[in-house]
Amino acid sequence: MKVILIIDLLIVGIAIGAYFYLQDQGIITGAAKPAAFVFTDLVVNPLEAYVGQPIQISVNVTNIGDIEGETTINLEINGDLKESLNVTIAGVKTSEIVEFTVIELYPGTYNVTIDELSETFKLKTAPPESSKIVLSNFKSDPYETWPGIPVAATAIATNPSAEPDMLIITAYVDDRLVEVKRIDLDPGTSMNIAFNVSASEEGKHSVRLNSLSGSFIVVPKGYHTLTIVRSGSGSASLPFTLNGEKHGTSYTAILPEGQYTVSVPDPYDVRTGVLGFSGWNDGSKSPTLTFTLDKRTILIATYYLISGYASCPSLYIWNGTGYSYVTDVSNSGWLGYIGHIDSNGEIIFSGGNPYDYVKLDKNILAAKDGYFDLVLSQQWDELYYLDSASLLVVDHPIGTDVYTSMTNYLNKGSTGQIYTTATGQLKSPISATNENNQNVLDAILYQDGIYTPGINGLASPSWNNITQNQLTLNLGNLTDATNIKLVLTGMVDWGEFETYYEWITQFQNAAKAGLITQDTQIMPPPTMEILSADGTWIAAPQDRQIPLPSDFNARTFTVDLTGLFPQDTTEYIVRLTNFWNVTYDYIGIDTTPQQDITLTTIKPTTATLSQLWETLSQSSGAFTRYGDVTELLQETDDMFVIGRQGDQVNLQFCAEDLPELAEGMERDYFFVVACWFKDPPDAWGYGFTFTVDPLPFLNMTGFPYTNAESYPYDTIHTEYLNKYNTRIIP
């Protein structure tokens, strides 16, 4: 029986094995197996990366069943479900690679889990950008919003290189990371980028796109900011009414939405001149403007000088249809800067500096018949000595701006150095206080026509108790900065000339009374000081001092602070002191390295002196005859075009001989001029007569100069005087 049972079992086992073998060979068929899924080959790439870089994750999914089926792949990061993906895979051991892309925003180690498979990757803090792509032109649209309402933080990304490039852009609000984007750019191309950002707290909020920074403001719901300022003809406060209430510029307030009416005077007497109303920045020409406050609004009332005093020749450029006013030039070329008074009561004059560098708006400058056309017009009752004029063409990398240092009247020769700054990436000081310890930071954060308050030293209590403007700036932590440049927009307001003479008389009377025992400054020059670690103030070297900005119209210029801070500096603080009423609209900090630039100088092809109108000026002497004066303006050589009120010089510069603009570069233009000028006595012209002689010259120590100095009456200069200066006005 046992033997028979064993034989039966062997027969059954052989039969079963044969069945499965035949079924596997497809000879015998049975019921189809349902879909079933196996996960293998979990791959994470890369295993180590920087924050914000994409991580690629893949897994192999195999359906080991006989029929098609659907399954859900759950990707978990650090135990949290990151993403779910449904896939349908055919049967009979069909496989498919399923991929995920993950971007994480913080450094650390991340565990990846799919089914029972696991892997890890590590993220590090990103290093300084190695990409050649440049971010510029940050803008918040709108700049002002309500709590929780997003604004668009936009910028332009440019790839100036000859190779394709990639950049990871991280967006922060108040140092809180909110979004990460990757962009890819072909060579020489640009693209607009945008991030939606918001904040719930009222106040100013910072935005950072990599190293490009900006901000936006949150105000109470139903309110908006209204700012009213004036432009042109100095920075004195302009009286106005708003819905019948009296105010003065600069004015800023957060007001309820609604309709408002503002009214400004026309004309407006500022003592030094009478101003006429030109228009509002929205194009309206009436001095009374009714508007709806439904967003942040800045209203700028523009004025022009009807009569009175400004200074220097006025520069105009051809814009394609007419001439646009730019600015008055060569502020530092004023003859009569006073240095000090000695114990004998003798006033010692400073030398002055005729050079000026004026950046021209390249969006306005237009060629006419192949030439750039510029005009210097002497509108004010002054006498000028125009020594040279040229165009300086500056090619610089895309994504940078270029500015010059402004000439300081105490420095000899040309001090206009060209500096590059990163477009849209200037830092702001973290504090700014004036001589009264008032917080004036808001006035310098934006170029918006809102100026720091200023005082004039001529209003000091007495000759031995001088009060001056002081602006103390904390620039923040610049420990890692190898380059430090200030970018400033400002102007000087000279005040009234009557007080100028009264001020000088105080010193003369003090000298007569024996109260002045040594050299004493009458009008101290502008001074920039650096705060050392021990709390003492160190004056910057004379060739790096803060200049006096131009008058009448604000200009933007640079001051190089690189290398001026002591090595043990922990706080980067500077102090700017001015006797004259210097006010600033904007101050920023650039810490980027100086970029390679290409300079091309164009000298005037033609220059013609002519009379624009008859004048009642009392200026006299041997002026330059009307006509061609081209050769006089080629070099700075003390051979001048000498003119007076009503004269103008038309200048043409060839626009067709410029070198081709290199790849990755853009172009800006500067007007460079060397020009002296002087005023009539009793109108700032202290110490000399209103005549052509004595002639100024580059190497003089001051003007008026002593008998120990003289204009160079050598052969070439004498021939120049006899040939050109034959328009005798008695």
Side-chain angles (χ1 to χ4, degrees), residues 491-503:
M491 74 169 86
V492 60
D493 188 340
W494 300 111
E496 303 165 10
F497 67 81
E498 292 91 347
T499 54
Y500 169 73
Y501 283 85
E502 294 169 0
W503 181 248

Side-chain angles (χ1 to χ4, degrees), residues 207-341:
V207 181
R208 184 158 47 89
L209 308 180
N210 290 6
S211 59
L212 185 65
S213 61
S215 63
F216 65 95
I217 292 178
V218 176
V219 297
K221 187 174 182 180
Y223 284 74
H224 290 292
T225 301
L226 173 64
T227 298
I228 301 175
V229 296
R230 83 173 179 90
S231 174
S233 306
S235 59
S237 179
L238 173 73
F240 67 91
T241 60
L242 182 65
N243 284 2
E245 295 185 2
K246 294 182 178 180
H247 300 281
T249 59
S250 297
Y251 170 88
T252 299
I254 299 176
L255 303 174
E257 287 188 317
Q259 193 173 73
Y260 292 84
T261 298
V262 59
S263 183
V264 297
D266 183 23
Y268 174 41
D269 189 343
V270 292
R271 291 293 308 276
T272 56
V274 177
L275 310 181
F277 176 75
S278 175
W280 297 96
N281 54 311
D282 68 350
S284 303
K285 298 300 181 182
S286 172
T288 298
L289 175 67
T290 298
F291 62 96
T292 300
L293 184 66
D294 55 3
K295 60 182 180 297
R296 180 175 183 261
T297 300
I298 298 177
L299 296 177
I300 303 174
T302 300
Y303 280 80
Y304 63 94
L305 192 71
I306 296 176
S307 64
Y309 179 81
S311 67
C312 327
S314 300
L315 174 66
Y316 295 83
I317 60 174
W318 178 258
N319 60 26
T321 58
Y323 289 94
S324 294
Y325 172 72
V326 180
T327 188
D328 285 9
V329 303
S330 200
N331 196 61
S332 61
W334 179 52
L335 295 172
Y337 281 111
I338 292 177
H340 60 272
I341 186 171

Side-chain angles (χ1 to χ4, degrees), residues 133-137 155-161 183-193 398-399 664 666:
I133 294 176
V134 177
L135 298 181
S136 63
N137 295 85
I156 298 175
T158 303
N159 180 7
S161 69
I183 61 171
D184 295 88
L185 283 178
D186 291 330
T189 61
S190 299
M191 69 178 295
N192 296 319
I193 57 172
I398 293 173
E666 57 183 307

